[in-house]
Amino acid sequence: MSINGIVVSAGIAFGKALTITTQLPPLDFKLLSSEKINLEQQQLTQAINNLIAHLRHCQHHLCPDCDHFQLIDSDIMLLEDEELQQQLYLHISQFRVGAAVAVDRIFNQHAAKMSALDDPYLANRSDDIICLAKRLTSALHGHLQWDLSTLTEDTILLADDLTPAEFAILPLTHITGVILESGGLTSHTAILARAAGIPALLNYQFSQSKNTIKDNTQLILDGISGELHIAPSSELFDQLKQKQQQELQRRQALMIYKDKPSQTLDGHRVTLLANVGNLNEISHITDVGAQGIGLFRTEFLLMNAKALPDEQQQYKLYCDAVHSLEGNVLTIRTFDIGADKEIPCLTQDNEDNPALGIRGIRYSLTHPRTFITQVKAILRAASHGNIRLMFPMVSQVEELEAAFVLIEQAKAELIEQQKSFGSISYGIVVETPAAVLNLPSMLPHLDFISIGTNDLTQYTLAADRTNPNLAKEYPPLSPAVIQLITLTISHCKQTDVSVSLCGELGSDPQVLPLLIGLGLDELSINPTSFLDVKVALIKGNYQQYVEHAQHVASLTRIDDIAKAINAFAHDYDSICK
């Protein structure tokens, strides 16, 4: 059988199912009879021992010096803590509750004490304690939480959700595909899956399906048609193997365009850059012929860090990045931190509406030491190459002015410390309607801007970009978003400030004619979509792109825009073949 999902990362994946979930049955608060107390305590002891054995087994394939090994060690030490164990046993006997209730209460108490500590690193350990409580509760119910360190076969991972941190530690050698019940088209995990080239589907309610997918069931994730095939027939298996091979051959064929000039048939040149999140991705951008980095998401460097990298550590990393680009531009976005991203090494308050709270430049301005440390490292790295620095979520000129005050402070500290630094270009990511409308006051301070369409769409339409229930009704392109992109380009061209686009919209080859026709001369694209976008560019005609953009910009309905873009792509594809 097959079920449809929403494709967030294209490709075809074969593998055996492995479900990881944090869903647990509701706690049972029923009072225990006296004779069951001892049994419940024994079951807790067995669960603790099983979980410790499981965690030790996870460590067998890890280097003892690596962070992953040491994090597991911390969990083992907590589980082995005799005082903690005695608290749990006492709670069961004193309040006559089940072991799961005792684990929930005692671990939450410990987590609350931990989160109140002044030391930010120790305070963030509270999340680890909550996570360990879930694992122990799972062990009480007879199953252990996921251990992916021992995977040896191609595996398609099914999960309710994955945080960016969880995704970052996946053993991608053996994970061929990812299926999530939640997340959005532009969620960070979706972006990471695309960047890693792993086929992924979202909005797939596998846990509510009548046909539960058991672990080790053979699956085929068709990230081209959006179908998940469960226990496929040998005929279908062979058919999709052939389709996968054809897709691989198609991608291989695209490689002939890697070194061709990025220009339309009538000679209109467009700069094509790449979006990346780590040094490994940077090392591969020459494989697709990118002319540099248009977006380096530095916050992904923090996702699994035990502590915030200091100035020297960041300086070395940015130097490695700029050296690997051999003179091409490196556009570094300062930490785009907010309550919507789990970053254990930083202190973040819980917020009712994290997307509207302390994130992006707001976080930097409320944590100036973190910002200054990063800026100092970037300024020093600028001595070694072409670096542009841009700030996320700037909506007001006052925010920009405050950021520049801190940058001057960073420069003053470097001078006092007799550390050299280079010149740098400054820009912002335009992500809110306010930023678009306030551009005239901000552009005199800037060398470039980049349009972040993921958040610009979210804030324009007041639609959570990670909510799968809104993905169809509020797609990335709408009349309002097109107007804001048009206005942004107009503002920048009037003041001769360079304008780019680094949102996921730029990685869609069907949308490229619209974006180029609207006047964008620079795009930053996910590496996996890079050559598809480049081919769409070099096979097209700029004047026709302009006429197409004028038509699309005149439309007032989302579905009419989608039809116009699909029709143009279809017609153009027919002409180009």
Side-chain angles (χ1 to χ4, degrees):
M1 66 169 293
S2 67
I3 303 174
N4 290 328
I6 298 176
V7 177
V8 295
S9 181
I12 299 176
F14 295 77
K16 292 188 175 180
L18 177 63
T19 300
I20 56 174
T21 177
T22 53
Q23 291 180 349
L24 297 168
L27 291 173
D28 184 353
F29 294 96
K30 181 173 58 181
L31 287 181
L32 296 176
S33 59
S34 300
E35 58 269 21
K36 286 188 176 179
I37 288 176
N38 190 41
L39 176 62
E40 200 70 15
Q41 291 171 330
Q42 289 175 7
Q43 287 176 343
L44 175 59
T45 302
Q46 187 62 50
I48 290 174
N49 291 337
N50 287 345
L51 184 52
I52 290 174
H54 168 72
L55 292 175
R56 292 201 188 285
H57 179 70
C58 291
Q59 288 181 313
H60 285 167
H61 299 272
L62 298 172
C63 169
D65 294 331
C66 73
D67 291 345
H68 196 170
F69 187 99
Q70 291 169 14
L71 286 170
I72 295 174
D73 245 0
S74 299
D75 286 347
I76 292 172
M77 288 173 63
L78 185 62
L79 290 168
E80 289 179 334
D81 187 297
E82 291 185 6
E83 186 178 344
L84 174 73
Q85 291 181 9
Q86 290 306 315
Q87 279 184 298
L88 291 166
Y89 298 143
L90 182 62
H91 198 89
I92 292 172
S93 60
Q94 185 174 3
F95 296 96
R96 294 172 53 192
V97 292
V101 173
V103 168
D104 180 71
R105 289 176 178 169
I106 299 299
F107 275 68
N108 271 302
Q109 288 173 12
H110 276 260
K113 289 178 183 174
M114 189 71 78
S115 66
L117 295 175
D118 289 335
D119 186 319
Y121 173 70
L122 292 176
N124 282 318
R125 279 281 291 147
S126 64
D127 292 334
D128 298 338
I129 293 173
I130 298 295
C131 182
L132 187 60
K134 288 181 180 178
R135 293 183 179 187
L136 181 54
T137 306
S138 291
L140 280 166
H141 290 282
H143 56 90
L144 298 167
Q145 281 290 332
W146 40 295
D147 166 22
L148 305 181
S149 63
T150 57
L151 288 180
T152 56
E153 294 184 284
D154 288 347
T155 301
I156 293 179
L157 199 65
L158 297 102
D160 49 354
D161 197 3
L162 286 175
T163 66
E166 288 168 336
F167 187 91
I169 62 171
L170 291 180
L172 297 182
T173 306
H174 298 296
I175 301 294
T176 57
V178 171
I179 297 167
L180 302 182
E181 287 196 304
S182 60
L185 284 169
T186 54
S187 67
H188 296 107
T189 300
I191 292 170
L192 287 171
R194 277 193 289 271
I198 293 180
L201 296 180
L202 64 75
N203 204 17
Y204 182 88
Q205 304 297 313
F206 62 86
S207 64
Q208 298 174 20
S209 171
K210 293 179 181 177
N211 301 285
T212 303
I213 302 172
K214 295 181 180 177
D215 284 353
N216 292 318
T217 301
Q218 181 66 47
L219 301 178
I220 305 176
L221 191 168
D222 186 344
I224 297 174
S225 66
E227 291 176 292
L228 176 68
H229 301 279
I230 304 167
S233 65
S234 57
E235 183 180 357
L236 180 61
F237 187 93
D238 293 341
Q239 181 185 336
L240 288 175
K241 268 290 181 187
Q242 185 178 2
K243 186 176 178 181
Q244 183 192 44
Q245 192 61 34
Q246 289 171 344
E247 175 63 12
L248 291 174
Q249 290 173 351
R250 188 189 74 82
R251 292 193 181 191
Q252 191 64 35
L254 290 177
M255 293 302 291
I256 65 171
Y257 298 99
K258 185 184 74 145
D259 297 321
K260 292 187 180 297
S262 300
Q263 63 182 37
T264 59
L265 288 172
D266 49 349
H268 182 80
R269 296 188 73 89
V270 175
T271 301
L272 297 182
L273 307 173
N275 295 337
V276 297
N278 56 52
L279 290 179
N280 185 46
E281 290 176 4
I282 291 177
S283 68
H284 290 298
I285 69 159
T286 53
D287 297 343
V288 294
Q291 297 165 268
I293 302 299
L295 171 62
F296 183 17
R297 303 182 183 95
T298 55
E299 62 277 6
F300 286 128
L301 307 175
L302 311 178
M303 293 298 183
N304 291 300
K306 293 170 68 175
L308 182 70
D310 61 21
E311 179 193 319
Q312 188 64 22
Q313 290 170 319
Q314 291 189 57
Y315 167 64
K316 182 178 183 306
L317 188 147
Y318 302 139
C319 281
D320 287 345
V322 78
H323 281 309
S324 68
L325 291 173
E326 299 179 344
N328 286 321
V329 67
L330 171 64
T331 310
I332 300 176
R333 183 178 70 185
T334 54
F335 296 138
D336 187 9
I337 296 166
D340 62 330
K341 293 173 184 167
E342 183 184 347
I343 299 181
C345 67
L346 292 176
T347 303
Q348 291 175 271
D349 296 329
N350 290 324
E351 297 180 274
D352 290 339
N353 298 298
L356 304 177
I358 306 298
R359 58 163 298 191
I361 195 67
R362 297 172 186 168
Y363 185 93
S364 295
L365 297 179
T366 53
H367 298 79
R369 202 61 247 169
T370 301
F371 182 73
I372 288 173
T373 297
Q374 185 179 28
V375 168
K376 286 173 69 177
I378 294 170
L379 284 167
R380 291 172 62 194
S383 298
H384 305 278
N386 181 11
I387 290 183
R388 302 192 302 187
L389 179 61
M390 66 181 181
F391 314 115
M393 276 288 288
V394 175
S395 294
Q396 290 288 141
V397 69
E398 288 89 343
E399 294 169 332
L400 196 56
E401 291 169 345
F404 280 122
V405 168
L406 295 178
I407 289 170
E408 289 306 312
Q409 184 178 336
K411 288 180 178 177
E413 290 182 12
L414 289 174
I415 292 170
E416 185 178 347
Q417 294 164 354
Q418 298 185 333
K419 295 175 180 174
S420 62
F421 58 91
S423 61
I424 214 162
S425 301
Y426 296 101
I428 63 169
V429 192
V430 169
E431 299 175 90
T432 66
V436 178
L437 298 173
N438 289 329
L439 268 179
S441 63
M442 295 193 281
L443 286 174
H445 303 278
L446 299 171
D447 302 298
F448 72 98
I449 70 102
S450 188
I451 305 172
T453 50
N454 303 346
D455 277 324
L456 181 61
T457 303
Q458 170 174 258
Y459 293 122
T460 301
L461 303 179
D464 181 353
R465 66 191 178 110
T466 65
N467 188 332
N469 296 320
L470 300 177
K472 291 181 180 176
E473 287 77 10
Y474 300 99
L477 270 176
S478 70
V481 171
I482 291 174
Q483 285 187 53
L484 290 170
I485 293 174
T486 304
L487 186 57
T488 301
I489 296 169
S490 174
H491 282 317
C492 290
K493 298 226 166 182
Q494 286 174 21
T495 51
D496 202 26
V497 171
S498 172
V499 55
S500 179
L501 185 146
C502 60
E504 286 299 301
L505 203 58
S507 298
D508 185 343
Q510 290 198 345
V511 179
L512 175 114
L514 168 66
L515 299 177
I516 302 304
L518 288 174
L520 282 168
D521 296 324
E522 181 179 300
L523 294 175
S524 194
I525 307 160
N526 264 322
T528 52
S529 304
F530 195 91
L531 288 176
D532 288 295
V533 173
K534 186 172 184 179
V535 170
L537 172 71
I538 66 180
K539 285 190 172 181
N541 183 293
Y542 178 62
Q543 287 306 316
Q544 288 182 320
Y545 285 176
V546 172
E547 293 167 12
H548 169 62
Q550 289 172 343
H551 169 61
V552 174
S554 71
L555 300 174
T556 57
R557 296 182 60 84
I558 289 173
D559 51 358
D560 286 343
I561 290 172
K563 287 175 186 174
I565 287 173
N566 288 336
F568 186 85
H570 180 268
D571 292 346
Y572 223 87
D573 196 40
S574 300
I575 292 170
C576 293
K577 281 182 178 176

